[in-house]
């Protein structure tokens, strides 16, 4: 399966930076596979590092926008029917919905760092008819550091770009842990203030 995806991604290389955007627009193609390979193309001298990161970040927005549109115009029944084609399972949809209802529009940014939420979170954003501009901005701001990490590691590892996935987790996990801790503190403060208001 991975070999088929690599051949599919390789086809877009001839389209240069636009090809990177297009490859990432297909949500069934893992960004964790595309971005390190793009870094390797930078290593080979076929692309500029900065422009490759920019293209990857833009693609990191256009891809989620397809799921956002699915949620906005299709709703939950359509998502449950076609989510499997994007490798999104029902439990991931449920988890993303709970996450959205608990933390609001900010999940378009925060959710990108949380495993099991990062892909599916676009769906409840669309279902809630969140502003597409706000969704795109939050997603762009989240995808910029993530894309930079994956592309840069692919560039530095060169022919060993396949090892980026495991290496990147070592960087992203602490970030995700800090975000989760921050969300817990935020929830606790919010709950405390709500109980305080009820008491008064």
């Amino acid at each position: 399966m991975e070999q088929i995806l690599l051949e599919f991604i390789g086809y877009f290389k001839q389209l240069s930076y636009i090809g990177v955007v297009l490859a990432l627009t297909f949500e069934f193609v893992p960004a964790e596979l595309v971005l390190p390979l793009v870094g390797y193309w930078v290593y080979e001298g076929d692309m500029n590092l900065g422009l490759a990161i920019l293209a990857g970040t833009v693609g990191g927005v256009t891809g989620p926008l397809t799921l956002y549109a699915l949620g906005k115009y299709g709703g939950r029944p359509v998502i449950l029917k076609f989510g499997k084609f994007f490798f999104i399972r029902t439990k991931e949809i449920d988890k993303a919905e709970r996450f959205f209802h608990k933390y609001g529009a900010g999940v378009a940014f925060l959710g990108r760092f949380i495993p099991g939420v990062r892909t599916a979170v676009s769906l409840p954003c669309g279902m809630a008819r969140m502003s597409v501009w706000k969704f795109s901005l939050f997603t762009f701001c989240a995808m910029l550091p993530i894309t930079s990490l994956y592309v840069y590691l692919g560039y530095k590892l060169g022919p060993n770009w396949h090892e980026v996935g495991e290496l990147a987790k070592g960087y992203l996990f602490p970030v995700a842990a800090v975000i989760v801790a921050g969300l817990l503190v935020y929830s606790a403060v919010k709950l405390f203030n709500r109980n305080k208001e009820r008491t008064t």
Side-chain angles (χ1 to χ4, degrees), residues 109-129:
F109 173 81
L110 299 171
R112 303 296 167 193
F113 298 90
I114 311 298
V117 172
R118 63 166 59 103
T119 301
V121 76
S122 303
L123 297 168
C125 290
M127 290 168 66
R129 298 189 176 277

Side-chain angles (χ1 to χ4, degrees), residues 48-62:
N48 172 271
L49 180 61
L51 292 177
I53 289 173
L54 178 60
T57 305
V58 172
V61 176
T62 55

